[in-house]
Amino acid sequence: MKIKDKLLAQFMLLFAVLLASVLSGIYLMTDTNRKSEFRTRLKDRAVIVAQLFLAEDNLPKDKFKDIIAKYPRSLPGEIVRIYDKDNHPVFLKDTISYDWPADVIQEVRTKGNIYYMEQNRQIAGTLYQDNSGDFCVLISATDVYGMKAMQQLFRVMLLFFLSALLIALIMVHFFSRLALQPVTRIVRC
């Protein structure tokens, strides 16, 4: 293998590893931020639902109107349940036949707030205390838009990575010729 080719291969490997590391770090930080932001939206949604169904009698009319205005903004694939002290679902009449297991409801009652992921769904639970009693509010949704954005980011980063490698290869090939030109002249003489 020629010295020029060896230098080219070493530099390209080093550049590829460095660029892949930086892009992977950016991707992972973005994904962590996306999950955290969606968790916050999920928790806020749980509180809004609880206030809508449980706190109407405790809030001033203008505050309750704000809550009603926020309620229709549901999350993709949203499932909400409010459980009374006997772990029976209350208030919501819908066609979704999903109930959370009793141990999850109990965990909310014990810890006050929970959060976990189940496949692509994110689940948040909160204990809402009202003058009517303590209610367990569980909400689940899928971050469809965030996952699509991450897929798009991955495609853009992959395209950028491959383009940068190609540009670097051309540049390194050109500059290695220039850098080794004096050595080549000496060898020829």
Side-chain angles (χ1 to χ4, degrees):
M1 181 181 251
K2 294 180 181 179
I3 293 175
K4 182 180 81 166
D5 295 338
K6 193 173 184 178
L7 284 173
L8 180 85
Q10 288 175 343
F11 180 79
M12 289 306 296
L13 179 65
L14 182 65
F15 181 72
V17 168
L18 179 64
L19 187 59
S21 298
V22 169
L23 291 175
S24 296
I26 291 170
Y27 184 86
L28 291 173
M29 287 174 44
T30 303
D31 192 48
T32 301
N33 186 50
R34 173 195 65 86
K35 288 176 184 172
S36 175
E37 187 272 333
F38 192 74
R39 175 190 297 187
T40 301
R41 286 180 34 215
L42 206 56
K43 287 179 181 178
D44 289 348
R45 184 74 179 149
V47 171
I48 288 169
V49 168
Q51 288 175 337
L52 179 68
F53 287 99
L54 300 169
E56 179 179 8
D57 55 344
N58 299 336
L59 295 173
K61 287 200 182 285
D62 59 332
K63 177 76 172 164
F64 189 69
K65 284 180 183 177
D66 290 342
I67 292 169
I68 288 175
K70 291 178 186 176
Y71 181 71
R73 297 182 205 144
S74 64
L75 300 170
E78 180 179 282
I79 299 173
V80 180
R81 288 290 177 271
I82 301 174
Y83 294 93
D84 63 12
K85 64 180 172 43
D86 299 320
N87 292 348
H88 294 109
V90 293
F91 295 110
L92 299 177
K93 308 274 191 274
D94 58 29
T95 59
I96 300 169
S97 60
Y98 184 83
D99 286 321
W100 270 274
D103 59 328
V104 172
I105 299 169
Q106 190 55 44
E107 186 178 357
V108 172
R109 293 189 189 287
T110 305
K111 293 181 178 177
N113 288 300
I114 65 165
Y115 173 82
Y116 66 97
M117 289 187 68
E118 198 173 85
Q119 295 166 350
N120 285 337
R121 296 189 73 75
Q122 296 184 40
I123 296 105
T126 188
L127 184 63
Y128 190 85
Q129 297 174 325
D130 186 64
N131 61 355
S132 307
D134 293 344
F135 294 88
C136 173
V137 181
L138 283 158
I139 185 167
S140 168
T142 305
D143 189 9
V144 174
Y145 305 115
M147 288 189 291
K148 282 183 183 176
M150 292 306 295
Q151 289 171 349
Q152 181 67 22
L153 178 63
F154 178 79
R155 285 191 291 270
V156 167
M157 286 181 151
L158 182 62
L159 180 65
F160 175 76
F161 178 75
L162 295 174
S163 300
L165 284 181
L166 180 64
I167 292 168
L169 179 65
I170 293 167
M171 289 176 61
V172 168
H173 181 70
F174 175 73
F175 286 118
S176 66
R177 278 178 129 181
L178 285 176
L180 294 175
Q181 205 170 37
V183 175
T184 307
R185 285 188 197 141
I186 293 172
V187 171
R188 284 186 190 160
C189 292

